[in-house]
Amino acid sequence: MINVVIVEDDLFFLTFLESGLAKLGKYQVVGVADSVINAYNIIRAKSPDIVISDLSLKGTNNGLELGHLIKDRNIPILYITESQDAKIYHQAEEIPLSSFLIKPFHIRTWDSTINSLFTIKKASVYVKGLVYTVGGVKQLIANEEILYIEADKNYSMVYTEKGKFAFKLSIVKMMEKLQKNLFLRVHK
């Protein structure tokens, strides 16, 4: 069973989420919270496999702030929202192992999105590489796929056989994210 913490302050939608997970048959809800603080405490205590969180929560904090609190724990977080605000999606790109579902959604889409998050989590743990977002979907560039990286002011351009990818990270920050013994840093 995959252990799940749900963060939702709407009781009706919480019931929908719990019954949907039960129907899929492979998820077990190990904690429910209605705020970021409560969720963080449950996550610390239960160490779930995944967190499913609404973006808009009671109080002054939101689901993105929860993502920032847990991003070093290597726990995928699936955000559920009605918002289609591009600003929110850009803010979420800073949170590794996160994805979005826009309400309403089908239960199979939900399950598929969770599976994608686990695939990226496994790949990032074993292969190591860079995660980038295209159209709201996270993709992994494995270290082995990277031909070279070029600094461009506050950006780093990553070149692979598949193409060129821009990351809003300095080359110093980029090198911190990569497996050190695989890359050699040279200057012009």
Side-chain angles (χ1 to χ4, degrees), residues 20-82:
L21 290 171
K23 282 180 189 174
L24 289 169
K26 59 184 179 180
Y27 301 100
Q28 177 178 348
V29 177
V30 295
V32 173
D34 63 356
S35 70
V36 170
I37 299 299
N38 291 342
Y40 183 69
N41 290 332
I42 292 170
I43 292 164
R44 285 181 42 219
K46 302 285 185 173
S47 295
D49 298 310
I50 189 165
V51 174
I52 298 173
S53 178
D54 191 0
L55 275 179
S56 304
L57 299 167
K58 289 180 184 174
T60 57
N61 298 329
N62 65 30
L64 289 175
E65 291 167 10
L66 175 62
H68 285 290
L69 287 172
I70 68 168
K71 69 181 179 182
D72 293 334
R73 292 179 171 270
N74 204 31
I75 300 172
I77 185 164
L78 175 59
Y79 292 113
I80 297 174
T81 183
E82 293 176 343

Side-chain angles (χ1 to χ4, degrees), residues 85-142:
D85 183 356
K87 181 181 172 185
I88 292 171
Y89 295 96
H90 292 300
Q91 290 172 346
E93 288 176 1
E94 299 170 12
I95 302 167
L97 296 175
S98 67
S99 192
F100 282 91
L101 277 179
I102 298 174
K103 298 175 189 173
F105 53 86
H106 190 275
I107 193 168
R108 294 291 169 210
T109 304
W110 185 19
D111 190 37
S112 176
T113 304
I114 291 172
N115 289 333
S116 295
L117 280 170
F118 280 120
T119 299
I120 290 173
K121 178 182 177 179
K122 286 176 187 172
S124 66
V125 169
Y126 298 113
V127 177
K128 301 284 184 190
L130 301 170
V131 176
Y132 69 99
T133 305
V134 174
V137 176
K138 296 205 184 247
Q139 303 287 327
L140 176 75
I141 302 174

